[in-house]
């Protein structure tokens, strides 16, 4: 039952605190081992070699070092080896030189069998040697060494001496190993000791307590010593079954990673240990397009992909960080200690790079990606549940924006108390018809005539004043309110269009709708009913959608889009140039107009690159037989360049700012009566008025 998150075989970088700690302990331990061997003389060695009891004990120590007794799958330090009992017996019988040498040989055998890294083998030899040395120091306070090397045997009067020696042995081992684990996983040594001392002390007490009995049996009936293996085997298998049950309850069956239950416990421990100024990070990540792979190639391939992702994550996190699988293709990463949000983002970026490496399975290559959401304690949340919820919010922001990694931001959280309150106010504003439409004209760049207006929604909150559209519209898009908001705006635009058309102002009104609205069959029904009710032609209204709709395959097959085309309502593509789509795909949608994003238009007089981009879009739009509209026209120079390029229409503060319905009506009537020369003068006056404002 190997732990996939075990990174102890990864060597520490030279110069780090862990590297220095291991170097110091190893140096001291091997020094003690070498010095102790110098105490042996040839006569003693010859006696040991000829003694069957010595070889029996040596074999038992080696066998006891092969498999540890593990009582909990969540223990940080690991299990306790049965060799402890026989090594301590060798210490009582033969002294430090023999006990340390036999244990060192057993650790080397264990390292070869289990393929442990060299630095771990050397550290284990050193810390066991130092523990034996501490026990011998305690024994030396009570008499000659070795204590029971002669004819004497332990009895009741030796219990205090043996108990103190065992305590010294256990204390040194526990402190040395806990120190290494604390540095490796960047945890406090207090926390490591507290989480492991209970299990470790019980097992050590039992094994060290049996060591004097081994000495007694060795001196009376050496052939009976192997019988001590029977209770040890029973303890081992009982512990193994307990650990297996514990592991199943705390780990994911497919990947072997910790599950949600273990993540909760580990996060709560980390939060409890965090001192003032310390931060804990929690990542939530979801694989992009995994469902497509799973549905196409089957669950076995999907399972192997998940196992590959789990392996990559566990080998890319820092020591001490925890990777957990929450279910499906959703994983979590716990950072028990992190400097700040920027450091957490660096870790997430490294994990994302590891995931995006191509995977080859079944003769095919898969390109994976993932979206990461990050929440930090105490900056974003005070407990686990809130951390998980807010990292989930950040993850979906990363998925929606295709940014890969996002840190939680309260102003983007649709579930934050402030946003929920604002959402409720918006719903009431829609119900009470408190929203207003302002209208900004689009003008022909060649002749100056008005070619329609764009409806822009405005909201004056009774307490907060004017709320910008970029604050409440995205919030509505992420909630159930978007359909209500779109319906309200379309009704208001149709009502205004009816007022204009029936009084001689035949101006087309453009209304912005989201991609989700466009694909909703209710939209065409609402438009059809509204056009009939107000006795308007379909061309009186135009729908504007962002360029992102071209990336949605549903747009080309949805019945709602076909219904709009049959109805005769034209479409315009807004903010073109900010996405990754191709103009060729425009031919597959009933689009009549393409609006070039203002971020390019504003800079065409200063940036050659932006001028080339705009010119290319204008040329391509013209070649497709569509109308081009430049947004954000704010100077005569920009208007002149756009006209020279052949751009059809312009919209921006150079011509007019967004106006209320009443002001727009007056402006439109005045504008229709002006000559081309007067239009030029009016444009300049609008610029001067805007500058003074």
């Amino acid at each position: 039952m190997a732990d996939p998150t075990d990174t102890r075989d990864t060597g520490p970088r030279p110069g780090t605190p862990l590297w220095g700690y291991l170097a110091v302990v190893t140096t001291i331990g091997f020094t003690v081992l070498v010095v102790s061997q110098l105490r042996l003389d040839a006569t003693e060695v010859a006696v040991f070699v000829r003694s069957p009891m010595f070889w029996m004990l040596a074999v038992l120590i080696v066998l006891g070092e092969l498999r540890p007794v593990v009582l909990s799958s969540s223990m940080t330090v690991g299990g306790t080896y049965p060799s402890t009992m026989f090594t301590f017996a060798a210490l009582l019988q033969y002294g430090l030189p023999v006990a340390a040498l036999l244990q060192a040989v057993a650790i080397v055998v264990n390292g070869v069998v289990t393929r442990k890294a060299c630095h771990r083998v050397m550290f284990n030899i050193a810390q066991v040697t130092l523990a034996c040395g501490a026990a011998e120091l305690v024994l030396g306070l009570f008499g000659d060494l070795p204590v029971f090397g002669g004819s004497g045997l332990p009895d009741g009067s030796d219990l205090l001496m043996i108990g103190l020696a065992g305590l010294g042995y256990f204390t040194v081992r526990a402190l040395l190993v806990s120190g290494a684990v604390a540095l490796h996983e960047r945890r406090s040594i207090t926390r490591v000791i507290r989480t492991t001392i209970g299990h470790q002390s019980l097992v050590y007490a039992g094994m060290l307590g049996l060591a004097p009995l081994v000495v007694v049996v060795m001196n009376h009936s050496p052939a009976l010593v192997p019988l001590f293996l029977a209770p040890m085997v029973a303890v081992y298998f009982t512990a193994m079954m307990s650990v297996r049950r514990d592991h199943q309850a705390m780990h994911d069956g497919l990947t072997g990673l910790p599950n949600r239950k273990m993540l909760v416990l580990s996060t709560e421990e980390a939060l409890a240990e965090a001192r003032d100024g310390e931060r804990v990070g929690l990542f939530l990540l979801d694989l992009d397009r995994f469902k497509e792979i799973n549905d196409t190639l089957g669950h076995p391939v999907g399972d192997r992909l998940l196992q590959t992702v789990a392996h990559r994550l566990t080998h890319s996190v820092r020591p001490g960080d925890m990777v957990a699988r929450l279910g499906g293709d959703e994983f979590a990463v716990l950072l028990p200690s992190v400097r700040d949000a920027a450091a957490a983002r660096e870790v997430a970026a490294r994990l994302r790079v590891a995931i995006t490496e191509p995977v080859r399975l079944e003769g095919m290559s898969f390109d994976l990606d993932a979206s990461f959401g990050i929440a930090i304690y105490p900056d974003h949340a005070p407990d686990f549940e809130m951390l998980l919820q807010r990292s989930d919010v950040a993850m979906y922001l990363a998925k929606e924006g295709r940014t890969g990694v996002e840190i939680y931001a309260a102003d983007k959280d649709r579930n934050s108390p402030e946003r929920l309150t604002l959402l409720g106010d918006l719903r009431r504003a829609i119900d009470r018809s408190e929203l207003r439409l302002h209208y900004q004209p689009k003008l022909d760049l060649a002749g100056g005539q008005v070619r329609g207006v764009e409806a822009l929604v405005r909201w004056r909150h009774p307490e907060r004043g004017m709320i910008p559209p970029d604050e409440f519209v995205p919030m509505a898009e992420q909630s159930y309110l978007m359909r209500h908001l779109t319906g309200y705006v379309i009704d208001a635009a149709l009502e205004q269009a009816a007022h204009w058309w029936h009084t001689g102002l035949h101006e087309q009104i453009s209304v912005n709708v989201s991609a989700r609205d466009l694909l909703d069959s209710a939209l065409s029904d609402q438009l059809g009913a509204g056009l009939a009710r107000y006795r308007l032609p379909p061309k009186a209204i135009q729908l504007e959608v962002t360029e992102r709709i071209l990336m949605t395959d549903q747009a080309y097959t949805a019945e709602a889009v076909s219904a709009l085309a049959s109805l005769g309502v034209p479409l315009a593509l807004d903010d073109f140039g900010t996405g990754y789509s191709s103009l060729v795909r425009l031919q597959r949608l009933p689009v009549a107009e393409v609006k070039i994003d203002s971020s390019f238009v504003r800079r065409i007089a200063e940036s050659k690159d932006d001028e080339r981009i705009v010119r290319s879009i204008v040329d391509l739009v013209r070649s497709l037989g569509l109308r081009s509209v430049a947004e954000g026209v704010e100077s005569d120079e920009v208007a002149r360049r756009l006209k020279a390029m052949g751009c059809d229409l312009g919209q921006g503060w150079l011509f007019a700012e967004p106006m209320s319905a009443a002001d727009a009506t007056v402006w439109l009537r005045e504008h229709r009566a002006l000559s081309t020369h007067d239009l030029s003068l009016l444009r300049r006056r609008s610029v001067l008025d805007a500058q003074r404002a």
Side-chain angles (χ1 to χ4, degrees):
M1 205 154 28
D3 184 0
T5 64
D6 189 355
T7 58
R8 290 175 295 176
D9 279 320
T10 303
R13 293 193 304 272
T16 60
L18 177 60
W19 180 85
Y21 178 81
L22 295 181
V24 170
V25 173
T26 301
T27 301
I28 296 174
F30 271 82
T31 300
V32 172
L33 178 62
V34 172
V35 171
S36 69
Q37 300 309 304
L38 297 177
R39 290 164 42 185
L40 289 174
D41 57 39
T43 304
E44 288 180 316
V45 173
V47 172
F48 294 153
V49 171
R50 289 194 298 269
S51 170
M53 185 168 58
F54 169 82
W55 289 109
M56 182 183 299
L57 198 59
V59 171
L60 291 175
I61 291 175
V62 171
L63 292 177
E65 190 66 21
L66 294 179
R67 296 294 295 270
V69 176
V70 181
L71 296 182
S72 173
S73 63
S74 61
M75 286 171 57
T76 302
V77 173
T80 304
Y81 288 92
S83 60
T84 300
M85 174 176 64
F86 301 110
T87 298
F88 197 63
L91 179 68
L92 297 176
Q93 180 70 27
Y94 299 118
L96 174 63
V98 174
L101 181 62
L102 292 177
Q103 184 66 72
V105 172
I107 291 173
V108 170
V109 173
N110 172 275
V112 172
V113 172
T114 60
R115 299 182 180 179
K116 283 188 175 67
C118 182
H119 70 274
R120 285 186 65 188
V121 173
M122 295 177 67
F123 174 77
N124 287 337
I125 292 174
Q127 53 102 351
V128 170
T129 300
L130 292 175
C132 290
E136 188 182 63
L137 286 176
V138 175
L139 294 174
L141 298 176
F142 289 87
D144 296 334
L145 295 172
V147 180
F148 306 113
S151 58
L153 293 174
D155 56 29
S157 62
D158 298 316
L159 288 179
L160 177 62
M161 174 187 67
I162 295 173
L164 291 176
L167 180 62
Y169 178 93
F170 169 71
T171 302
V172 170
R173 287 200 69 171
L175 289 176
L176 291 176
V177 175
S178 297
V181 171
L183 289 172
H184 176 70
E185 300 187 352
R186 292 193 304 278
R187 302 182 183 182
S188 68
I189 190 171
T190 305
R191 180 186 175 192
V192 174
I193 291 175
R194 187 168 63 249
T195 56
T196 60
I197 193 70
H199 300 94
Q200 295 282 343
S201 59
L202 290 174
V203 179
Y204 269 96
M207 291 186 178
L208 296 175
L210 288 174
L213 299 180
V214 174
V215 174
V216 172
V217 174
M218 282 171 56
N219 285 276
H220 276 285
S221 302
L224 298 179
V225 171
L227 292 178
F228 282 97
L229 289 175
M232 296 310 303
V233 170
V235 170
Y236 172 78
F237 281 106
T238 302
M240 184 176 67
M241 289 187 289
S242 174
V243 169
R244 183 170 295 168
R245 288 193 297 269
D246 183 38
H247 190 276
Q248 291 173 347
M250 294 287 190
H251 289 76
D252 172 57
L254 176 64
T255 62
L257 294 177
N259 58 15
R260 180 190 175 98
K261 185 176 181 181
M262 189 168 180
L263 178 67
V264 172
L265 295 176
S266 300
T267 305
E268 290 176 347
E269 286 180 7
L271 297 181
E273 290 291 329
R275 296 187 290 269
D276 291 340
E278 294 184 339
R279 289 175 171 80
V280 177
L282 185 66
F283 298 172
L284 204 61
L285 65 111
D286 181 87
L287 299 181
D288 298 338
R289 301 181 302 277
F290 174 77
K291 187 176 185 299
E292 298 174 12
I293 298 174
N294 213 30
D295 292 345
T296 304
L297 301 177
H299 291 288
V301 174
D303 289 347
R304 289 172 63 187
L305 276 176
L306 291 175
Q307 291 168 342
T308 300
V309 170
H311 177 81
R312 290 182 175 182
L313 288 174
T314 54
H315 286 77
S316 301
V317 295
R318 308 169 308 169
D321 297 343
M322 171 188 283
V323 180
R325 183 182 178 221
L326 302 184
D329 61 341
E330 195 171 56
F331 296 82
V333 180
L334 171 65
L335 277 56
S337 175
V338 64
R339 185 179 66 253
D340 52 28
R345 182 185 284 274
E346 290 176 3
V347 175
R350 185 170 68 246
L351 296 180
R352 188 175 178 224
V353 169
I355 289 177
T356 54
E357 288 291 325
V359 180
R360 287 199 62 82
L361 286 176
E362 304 292 334
M364 294 177 288
S365 181
F366 300 94
D367 292 320
L368 298 178
D369 203 350
S371 299
F372 287 75
I374 303 173
I376 305 294
Y377 165 89
D379 302 1
H380 303 142
D383 54 37
F384 170 78
E385 290 299 335
M386 192 65 74
L387 273 175
L388 188 66
Q389 186 265 333
R390 292 190 167 170
S391 60
D392 185 62
V393 169
M395 181 190 73
Y396 277 99
L397 287 173
K399 190 175 285 290
E400 291 172 1
R402 299 182 181 180
T403 57
V405 178
E406 284 289 341
I407 298 175
Y408 174 79
D411 59 345
K412 296 180 180 179
D413 186 358
R414 70 192 70 171
N415 299 315
S416 66
E418 297 81 6
R419 287 174 66 83
L420 288 176
T421 300
L422 191 62
L423 198 65
D425 292 343
L426 178 60
R427 176 57 193 262
R428 285 186 288 274
I430 294 173
D431 292 340
R432 298 170 184 172
S433 300
E434 294 176 355
L435 302 180
R436 295 292 180 266
L437 296 188
H438 284 204
Y439 301 90
Q440 187 174 36
K442 297 181 290 185
L443 274 70
D444 189 308
L445 290 172
Q449 297 84 3
V450 178
R451 298 300 186 207
V453 296
E454 180 180 1
L456 303 167
V457 66
R458 296 291 184 264
W459 179 22
R460 184 174 294 279
H461 193 279
E463 297 176 0
R464 299 177 54 179
M466 188 64 73
I467 298 178
D470 58 3
E471 182 174 340
F472 68 86
V473 173
M475 178 182 66
E477 287 179 339
Q478 298 172 358
S479 72
Y480 66 95
L481 272 186
M482 194 60 209
R483 174 184 285 188
H484 300 284
L485 179 59
T486 300
Y488 176 89
V489 171
I490 287 178
D491 280 341
L494 286 172
E495 183 179 357
Q496 185 60 47
H499 173 72
W500 283 341
W501 279 69
H502 297 323
T503 57
L505 289 175
H506 295 174
E507 302 297 347
Q508 183 184 70
I509 298 180
S510 297
V511 176
N512 289 279
V513 296
S514 68
R516 186 169 59 182
D517 290 326
L518 185 68
L519 302 177
D520 188 348
S521 59
L523 180 63
S524 59
D525 295 338
Q526 180 187 4
L527 281 169
L531 291 171
R533 183 169 67 252
Y534 291 111
R535 294 179 290 113
L536 290 170
K539 66 179 181 180
I541 196 87
Q542 177 175 261
L543 301 181
E544 292 188 9
V545 291
T546 61
E547 181 188 4
R548 197 176 288 181
I549 189 66
L550 294 180
M551 306 302 293
T552 306
D553 290 335
Q554 287 178 284
Y556 308 105
T557 58
E559 293 182 2
V561 178
S562 300
L564 289 173
S566 301
L567 193 61
V569 175
L571 296 181
L573 204 62
D574 198 13
D575 300 331
F576 194 86
T578 58
Y580 306 96
S581 60
S582 167
L583 278 168
V584 175
R585 305 187 77 178
L586 284 171
Q587 299 176 88
R588 299 171 59 191
L589 280 177
V591 172
E593 183 176 285
V594 173
K595 303 187 76 173
I596 307 168
D597 189 68
S598 60
S599 62
F600 300 111
V601 173
R602 289 194 185 102
R603 299 193 298 263
I604 63 173
E606 295 84 23
S607 171
K608 293 294 184 182
D609 290 338
D610 287 333
E611 184 179 15
R612 280 192 291 269
I613 291 173
V614 173
R615 186 183 300 277
S616 298
I617 294 175
V618 170
D619 291 343
L620 286 170
V621 169
R622 186 190 307 114
S623 69
L624 292 173
L626 306 178
R627 186 170 58 246
S628 58
V629 182
E631 296 183 292
V633 182
E634 298 178 355
S635 70
D636 277 320
E637 176 62 19
V638 170
R640 186 186 65 78
R641 289 174 181 260
L642 289 168
K643 179 181 176 181
M645 292 178 189
C647 184
D648 299 309
L649 307 181
Q651 177 183 345
W653 281 61
L654 173 65
F655 308 116
E657 61 182 276
M659 299 169 283
S660 65
D663 291 342
T665 302
V666 174
W667 190 93
L668 288 170
R669 292 193 184 280
E670 290 179 349
H671 201 87
R672 292 187 67 183
L674 295 175
S675 65
T676 303
H677 176 70
D678 293 332
L679 290 173
S680 178
L681 293 176
L682 181 62
R683 257 200 325 263
R684 290 191 176 91
R685 192 175 68 185
S686 298
V687 173
L688 293 175
D689 291 343
Q691 290 174 345
R692 283 196 293 269

